[in-house]
Amino acid sequence: MTDVFADLVGQDEAVVTLRRAAASAAALLRAGAPVAARVGVPADGYDDLDALAEQFDDPGDPSGPGASGSGESACDPGASGDPGGAAAAEAAPGAGMTHAWIFTGPPGSGRSVAARAFAAALQCVHGTGCGRCPGCHTTLAGTHADVRLVVPEGLSISVGEMRALVLRAASTPSGGRWQIVIIEDADRLTEAAGNALLKAIEEPPPRTVFLLCAPSTHPDDVSVTIRSRCRVVPLRQPPAGAVAEVLVRRDGVAPDVAQWAAAAAQGHVGRARRLARDPEARQRREAVLAVPRRLTGVGAAFDAASALIEAAEAEAAVSVAEADEAERAALQTALGAGGTGRGAAGAMRGAAGQLKDLERRQKSRATRAQRDALDRALVDLAGFYRDALTMALRAPVAPVHTDTATTAAAGAQKWDAEGSLRRLEAVLECRAAIEANVKPRIAVEAMMLSLWRG
Ligand SMILES: [Zn+2]
């Protein structure tokens, strides 16, 4: 039961799709086995994963076998004497494998968990994602030679990064299975980087699979052209019960703590785990939830804004400090810091450029970390006003924050539904403003004033 999909909480439908695709992919590999040995031979129709896959499932057209509208498929699905296609179709009738996927869902729903699990299932020597073989293990551990993971550390993924990645992804898989590129936060691709990726997806190397993660398939997140080339796996916000269950089973959290953390994290699995296990995360949350009680005047509102911003900065600083230091040390070693003699001066001139480049990337990552920390705080705060609203409306739903339920009830009485809704909207507007690059301090100050005035 503990295969690679076990940690995909509350996503039964997606897991069924991915299992079927993995089985289908394994069948493709078996069917294409003789072809794989002919390294260097130009790809014909049967070499091409896409063409093979189209024989039994075209992602762009749900009408099924033989419905390929691309017109460029080199293989004829109806051709007799096609042992490869026949075997694949027989092994996975109606199930589809394709070379580009998008995992969508709200933050914490497990987009990247799903992508990694699927990658492991594709690299699994049994083709199932058993969770025990070297293919599964190395993929999940992030050390598989044919799996590249792009985690944008800054605010966006650059075109340079993407080009290098696409180039490497085109090589023959060393393990004989698939070259897999996982792009977390594909919504943070720059336009140029998106175009570089699109090119690769439009003309995929035969054994390369792209797994993209994004909040949604809205054009703001993923370009329409990329979207049209990918199959979408929608993930939903996992129910609190399922999140609590996995905290108990996998992380050994006490059931009552798990229940509380799952509810407080509002379906965000990673956040629930942090709340359950990290006392500092709990303290930060408590400080945020104390904000509504402290808003007693204009001065207090500005103080609360400062406190929230500074807490996010401090949290972010801690989270990136270790990586920053390790990178600086590694770069200095690589550059042979302190070297003298011939060539050292020239090397140092190059080094200055590289150091500057590293600092720029680290600054971008720090900004991202601050925004992420601030956003987590705003989600907690929104949960509080949502509780006040549902209480004012006497809606029969459980509160998000059980530990501040009495404060929310008092707020509901004081503000009524309308006032609670206005405050909830102020928090959501603040999130949207920061996402749209409004300076966080300005957005948070405006929000605090709205929360105070109502
Ligand atoms: Zn395995």
Side-chain angles (χ1 to χ4, degrees):
M1 274 309 287
T2 51
D3 69 4
V4 295
F5 295 109
D7 287 346
L8 206 44
V9 184
Q11 310 292 352
D12 298 348
E13 259 175 68
V15 169
V16 169
T17 305
L18 297 176
R19 277 190 203 286
R20 204 179 284 163
S24 180
L28 286 174
L29 282 183
R30 278 196 297 276
V35 172
R38 283 168 23 217
V39 176
V41 173
D44 62 19
Y46 300 131
D47 269 345
D48 186 355
L49 163 63
D50 214 26
L52 274 168
E54 271 175 13
Q55 289 177 43
F56 44 88
D57 198 342
D58 183 339
D61 184 344
S63 59
S68 166
S70 68
E72 57 186 52
S73 172
C75 68
D76 174 7
S80 54
D82 166 20
E90 196 182 294
M97 176 59 192
T98 189
H99 70 283
W101 299 73
I102 302 180
F103 297 84
T104 63
S109 57
R111 299 182 300 237
S112 67
V113 176
R116 283 171 219 229
F118 185 41
L122 291 175
Q123 303 292 18
C124 174
V125 298
H126 307 292
T128 57
C130 66
R132 290 179 301 276
C133 74
C136 286
H137 255 291
T138 51
T139 304
L140 292 181
T143 55
H144 196 295
D146 296 333
V147 179
R148 279 172 242 300
L149 177 67
V150 186
V151 185
E153 293 179 322
L155 295 174
S156 61
I157 305 176
S158 76
V159 61
E161 263 176 284
M162 185 52 64
R163 283 208 186 111
L165 187 83
V166 162
L167 207 64
R168 284 172 66 195
S171 59
T172 307
S174 60
R177 296 187 72 89
W178 309 99
Q179 277 287 2
I180 301 177
V181 179
I182 303 175
I183 302 175
E184 280 191 14
D185 301 316
D187 53 309
R188 291 178 192 166
L189 289 172
T190 60
E191 198 183 336
N195 287 337
L197 175 66
L198 176 63
K199 237 187 191 148
I201 291 181
E202 278 180 331
E203 291 162 34
R207 283 289 173 79
T208 305
V209 180
F210 294 92
L211 307 178
L212 280 54
C213 306
S216 75
T217 53
H218 189 277
D220 283 352
D221 288 338
V222 179
S223 81
V224 176
T225 36
I226 289 182
R227 155 75 190 84
S228 70
R229 300 278 170 173
C230 297
R231 185 169 309 165
V232 179
V233 180
L235 303 174
R236 58 192 186 119
Q237 183 167 311
V243 175
E245 188 270 328
V246 79
L247 292 184
V248 172
R249 174 173 55 79
R250 187 187 52 197
D251 302 309
V253 174
D256 54 333
V257 177
Q259 288 282 349
W260 165 81
Q266 305 177 61
H268 193 304
V269 183
R271 173 104 176 109
R273 186 180 310 127
R274 261 195 304 280
L275 283 177
R277 301 179 57 158
D278 178 2
E280 281 180 25
R282 282 200 290 276
Q283 275 169 19
R284 282 194 294 266
R285 172 180 167 280
E286 275 162 28
V288 169
L289 291 177
V291 163
R293 281 185 281 121
R294 297 206 173 139
L295 293 174
T296 51
V298 176
F302 279 104
D303 287 349
S306 283
L308 199 64
I309 298 277
E310 280 152 25
E313 283 171 356
E315 186 187 342
V318 172
S319 76
V320 298
E322 208 174 312
D324 281 0
E325 188 46 46
E327 284 172 358
R328 242 192 319 272
L331 182 62
Q332 271 161 0
T333 308
L335 295 171
T340 53
R342 287 169 75 89
M348 283 319 288
R349 276 197 296 278
Q354 288 191 50
L355 267 172
K356 215 170 178 174
D357 199 43
L358 178 67
E359 277 166 13
R360 187 181 48 74
R361 271 186 287 129
Q362 291 186 340
K363 187 158 182 270
S364 179
R365 174 168 64 197
T367 306
R368 183 78 244 169
Q370 280 171 22
R371 295 216 186 152
D372 287 348
L374 188 55
D375 197 59
R376 279 193 290 278
L378 293 174
V379 168
D380 282 343
L381 204 54
F384 173 86
Y385 291 106
R386 172 201 169 276
D387 286 346
L389 176 63
T390 55
M391 286 172 192
L393 293 170
R394 300 184 197 289
V397 291
V400 170
H401 302 298
T402 46
D403 43 356
T404 53
T406 47
T407 317
Q413 205 160 34
K414 189 173 163 194
W415 306 321
D416 214 349
E418 232 172 278
S420 304
L421 179 60
R422 274 200 305 277
R423 287 171 172 83
L424 174 57
E425 280 174 346
V427 181
L428 299 181
E429 272 165 24
C430 178
R431 286 186 76 197
I434 291 170
E435 193 56 43
N437 275 328
V438 172
K439 220 166 176 295
R441 183 173 290 273
I442 292 170
V444 170
E445 282 174 355
M447 174 192 78
M448 290 295 186
L449 286 173
S450 302
L451 293 179
W452 167 60
R453 288 199 197 106

